[in-house]
Amino acid sequence: MKFISFKTILISLLFVFLTSCSAMNPPTFEEQSATYTRTMEQYIIDQIFTNVMRSAGDRPLAFVDISSVIGSGKSSTGIGGTLGFETAGDLWSGLGLTDLDSVEINPSQLYSEGFSFTQSSMDNSVFWSEMLIRIPIQKLVYFQGNSYPEEMLFNLLIDEFFILKENGDTERLANDFTKPSHEKFRKLFKFLIERIEIVADTKEDSSKSNYANTTSKVKGSGDEGEDLVARICIAEKPMPDDEFKFHSESYCEKGQEKEFGKDKLVIILRSVKGIFDYLGQVVEAQSWDNPIYVDLKEPIDAFAQARMKEKLTKNNSKRLFVVERDLDSEPKLSYAFTEDMYGGRFIIPSYDAGYSKKVISFLSELLILINVPGSAAPQPGILIR
């Protein structure tokens, strides 16, 4: 009579245990939702970055909207097999309790997860009419506060200063760092950046003002029911030693005429398309033989660095927008990635990218504000460029 060995019992129990496992748990809804959120976040970032690079290459911009997303995931797991035993013909053999001769285990696992989505082209007149008009001041009230540095915001938003002098002459100071007159623009910009603010004014008073890019669009109502509109003005009345003084209508506060200057100032804002064109110009200038960089006054991490024990060396902390080539020889972690039509790969680095991340975030919010109902195509389509 043959007795069952301990090895045979152990392997038999292991076989039963394994084959009893029928499935593994698929990812939870929260895990799939997190995957979708990360994917969409990167999609938005890369689309904005791609259009900045299109502007740098004088190529048409193109935007798409993902109108619907459906996620799916399924999983099945199984482990099967066979056991081979010797046949001895005695009582134990009849009960199948003989020495184990062979074991064959066949595990199998199938899992799939994915999202199906539709993309709608935004290349239509409704969307582009909002892209091409100068940004109404009413849109800017959403960005008041400490969400974005004022210097960064107004550097992106202001297209030029238009000065109407007392003698009738005019002077235009464009926010174009490639022109010799930009130094005069920067000088006035530096003076105004800490003084200008967005306020609500009556529609009647606003219509009398030549200052800033005002519109007749109603923002709200005053205490007495009068229509209010948004307006950019200089917060405080001029001081005797101020380098620049303008007409009284340029200031938020009223005062005696003798306190103010005679020249009238108009601040002309860009369109959203104009901001993309400006950033494209910033990127292009970085690649010149004698590169030009747009730097702001304060470093992006000035406050954070002051609270850190270990000070980090950063070369781009004041740069408005930083773009680098994605090289296999020098791989870097990227915040945004794109590839141009010639196969060139470009990134915004995850580390030491100046104000780039805040610029992308600002543009994403601005695009949402101009994405008016009806601007997306009623029938989704796929756009490839």
Side-chain angles (χ1 to χ4, degrees), residues 29 32 88 97 113 117 122 206-207 219 232 234 268 287 291 312 321 324 327 343 361 369 381:
F29 173 79
Q32 292 192 60
L97 301 176
E113 176 187 18
F117 60 90
M122 306 298 286
S206 180
S207 63
K219 179 193 173 194
I232 297 180
I234 302 176
I268 300 177
S287 63
L312 304 176
F321 205 71
E324 298 178 0
L327 303 175
S361 178
L369 289 176

Side-chain angles (χ1 to χ4, degrees), residues 223-246:
D223 295 335
E224 300 179 1
E226 69 276 19
D227 291 336
L228 299 179
V229 296
R231 176 171 176 255
I232 297 180
C233 53
I234 302 176
E236 300 176 354
K237 292 186 293 185
M239 301 298 291
D241 57 345
D242 278 355
E243 184 177 3
F244 297 96
K245 290 185 181 180
F246 297 102

Side-chain angles (χ1 to χ4, degrees), residues 7 9 52 137 181:
K7 176 180 178 183
I9 297 175
V52 171
I137 295 176
S181 61

Side-chain angles (χ1 to χ4, degrees), residues 165-191:
K165 298 183 179 295
E166 183 181 9
N167 60 6
D169 292 341
T170 60
E171 184 177 17
R172 307 184 81 101
L173 303 178
N175 186 7
D176 185 345
F177 56 87
T178 66
K179 295 183 178 180
S181 61
H182 188 250
E183 185 59 35
K184 295 182 68 175
F185 171 89
R186 290 295 303 173
K187 193 173 183 180
L188 179 55
F189 180 84
K190 183 179 178 181
F191 173 81

